[in-house]
Amino acid sequence: MRIAVAYSSKLGLQKEYGKNVSEELPDQEEEPPSLDFFAEGDSEETINAVMNALRSKGHDVCGVEADDKAPENLSRIRPDIVFNIAEGLFGDFRESYIPMVCERLGIPYSGSGPLTLAICLNKARTKEILSYYSIPNAKFATFHAGEEINLEGFKFPAVIKPVAEGSSKGIFDDSVVHDIGTAKKRIVEKLKIYRQPVIVEEFLEGREFTVAVWGNGENIEVLPIVAINYDELPEGAHKIYSYEAKWVWDTPEKPLDIFQCPAKLSSKEKKLIDSLVKRTFTVLGVRDLCRIDVRFDSNGVPNILELNPLPGILPDPEDNSCFPKAARTAGYPYADMLDNVVKIAAARYGLKKGCAVKQ
Ligand SMILES: Nc1ncnc2c1ncn2[C@@H]1O[C@H](COP(=O)(O)OP(=O)(O)O)[C@@H](O)[C@H]1O
Ligand SMILES: [Mg+2]
């Protein structure tokens, strides 16, 4: 197939940042971006690994930056399919950009559509939909800048996070709070830094898992479940997968052995998680692939934390990227995993194998 990999490179995001900040704040002094501002950009290494892996499967592959020129470039290239990993940088619809462009141009693309990507980026909207379908998730409240913060009756500990971020952006060890006073302080801080509403959730005390799922319709498959083992965190750290756990305490020199795949689960627990994530995948209208975070509450009931319909797919096993880890455990090395996502997406569009595969 002729595949265009659409990405948001770290360099591309830095350019976009410069442009938007000077446009947004013409009279103000530019504040440096927060520590975790660029946590989401794709590195050159990841972009090249994805392109080379797809090439190794016989595809004809090029790359497209998800920038202002993407519509023009995609329209010119007219690939059989776009392999979308572009997360964007600004706004509520940043992950929907490439799907929107592809829809407009009539080009097939892998993964979820603009609406699902936008909803899943917003943890509160996602939880509202989950609640509508009676899918267990932690009790929560959302606060906007300038709004009175009323947490009467809210159970502690609680977790405080920006409503629409990923990659543990805005989720630091001190995001877990134990009383109303600290909660209010933390909410005000995060409203200011992340310039978006803040969500406060009751803390789910049980074990945590992240679950890779792929397929569509009747053929949704749950890959081997990954457990997150918090005993590995430094002493005194809160038991969450924070920015520090993801990006600071886990280094190639001193890796945190935090993941276990396949997770040790009883067959009953496995079944519960299995049906929970499949149902969640379906009600949110996810397509092709997703990584879903799940955590048990104190009664052993699995709750949904959030969905990642554009899951990280870092190539190096040392990077502890969980979708590739689960796929590897299921017998799909990196290139096979990517090729299977292409196959799943292509099948959804009814693209014919024969005309699509490069001879
Ligand atoms: N309600 C909660 N109860 C317990 N832990 C939570 C809760 N919400 C978030 N966490 C912890 O914070 C981590 C990051 O939160 P998550 O919502 O998955 O954000 P991100 O989009 O950054 O992955 C989770 O993996 C989990 O460890
Ligand atoms: Mg998460």
Side-chain angles (χ1 to χ4, degrees):
M1 283 218 230
R2 289 183 57 244
I3 301 178
V5 175
Y7 52 78
S8 301
S9 72
K10 289 205 186 278
L11 200 71
L13 294 188
Q14 274 167 31
K15 279 192 202 150
E16 196 180 332
Y17 177 79
K19 206 178 94 196
N20 275 271
V21 167
S22 37
E23 274 171 14
E24 251 182 39
L25 310 165
D27 301 324
Q28 296 176 33
E29 227 173 84
E30 282 180 21
E31 271 188 40
S34 58
L35 171 65
D36 52 353
F37 199 80
F38 296 109
E40 286 195 312
D42 299 310
S43 67
E44 290 301 309
E45 187 199 349
T46 300
I47 296 164
N48 287 331
V50 170
M51 301 212 307
N52 287 333
L54 288 171
R55 280 185 193 120
S56 78
K57 290 288 173 184
H59 300 292
D60 184 1
V61 185
C62 67
V64 172
E65 180 84 47
D67 60 9
D68 295 355
K69 296 221 168 67
E72 202 177 307
N73 288 334
L74 286 172
S75 160
R76 183 173 36 81
I77 300 166
R78 285 248 149 230
D80 296 322
I81 195 161
V82 168
F83 192 90
N84 181 32
I85 59 169
E87 289 179 305
L89 189 65
F90 282 105
D92 297 345
F93 304 102
R94 60 186 180 274
E95 293 190 346
S96 310
Y97 175 53
I98 289 296
M100 289 283 295
V101 170
C102 291
E103 300 257 343
R104 172 87 204 189
L105 295 173
I107 299 174
Y109 59 95
S110 66
S112 295
L115 182 63
T116 293
L117 290 175
I119 290 172
C120 291
L121 189 56
N122 186 308
K123 296 181 203 291
R125 282 284 173 263
T126 303
K127 286 163 72 62
E128 285 162 14
I129 294 174
L130 294 175
S131 302
Y132 180 86
Y133 287 99
S134 307
I135 293 178
N137 65 95
K139 198 174 154 208
F140 73 105
T142 315
F143 297 101
H144 297 74
E147 195 180 344
E148 192 202 336
I149 301 171
N150 183 353
L151 283 168
E152 285 310 315
F154 207 87
K155 270 205 232 118
F156 287 88
V159 188
I160 298 178
K161 41 193 186 183
V163 77
E165 293 295 351
S167 304
S168 289
K169 276 174 83 169
I171 306 177
F172 291 90
D173 191 62
D174 68 1
S175 297
V176 180
V177 296
H178 300 269
D179 58 84
I180 290 192
T182 322
K184 284 191 177 167
K185 197 169 143 240
R186 206 67 81 237
I187 291 169
V188 171
E189 279 168 18
K190 295 213 186 286
L191 282 169
K192 186 154 177 262
I193 298 174
Y194 296 96
R195 298 199 215 161
Q196 60 182 284
V198 161
I199 181 168
V200 185
E201 292 183 22
E202 287 184 2
F203 192 80
L204 297 161
E205 314 265 353
R207 283 194 293 156
E208 183 173 333
F209 307 90
T210 191
V211 191
V213 190
W214 61 11
N216 287 301
E218 296 297 302
N219 298 316
I220 301 173
E221 185 191 356
V222 177
L223 292 171
I225 297 170
V226 178
I228 307 180
N229 171 18
Y230 289 120
D231 299 340
E232 282 285 315
L233 296 185
E235 222 181 291
H238 287 116
K239 295 193 182 320
I240 58 167
Y241 196 37
S242 58
Y243 182 85
E244 290 95 332
K246 203 172 281 185
W247 305 106
V248 182
W249 296 329
D250 187 7
T251 58
E253 301 78 52
K254 206 170 163 285
L256 270 187
D257 188 15
I258 200 169
F259 299 110
Q260 180 191 61
C261 185
K264 283 202 188 88
L265 288 160
S266 68
S267 63
K268 190 177 155 213
E269 287 170 331
K270 209 169 151 292
K271 266 196 204 135
L272 278 176
I273 294 180
D274 212 82
S275 71
L276 175 77
V277 295
K278 280 183 176 161
R279 195 139 177 272
T280 300
F281 190 99
T282 306
V283 302
L284 266 312
V286 176
R287 296 196 300 233
D288 302 340
L289 79 166
C290 194
R291 218 194 67 235
I292 302 182
D293 295 345
V294 174
R295 194 157 186 167
F296 284 134
D297 64 16
S298 48
N299 299 317
V301 175
N303 279 236
I304 296 294
L305 281 179
E306 59 136 5
L307 286 81
N308 302 281
L310 276 184
I313 47 167
L314 303 185
D316 184 351
E318 301 277 303
D319 282 329
N320 271 332
S321 193
C322 287
F323 196 98
K325 187 186 288 288
R328 223 169 24 247
T329 309
Y332 292 85
Y334 196 64
D336 292 6
M337 169 192 86
L338 298 177
D339 193 42
N340 199 44
V341 172
V342 171
K343 281 189 184 136
I344 290 168
R348 176 165 56 78
Y349 285 99
L351 295 182
K352 274 196 221 115
K353 251 198 203 151
C355 72
V357 177
K358 202 183 158 199
Q359 297 303 315

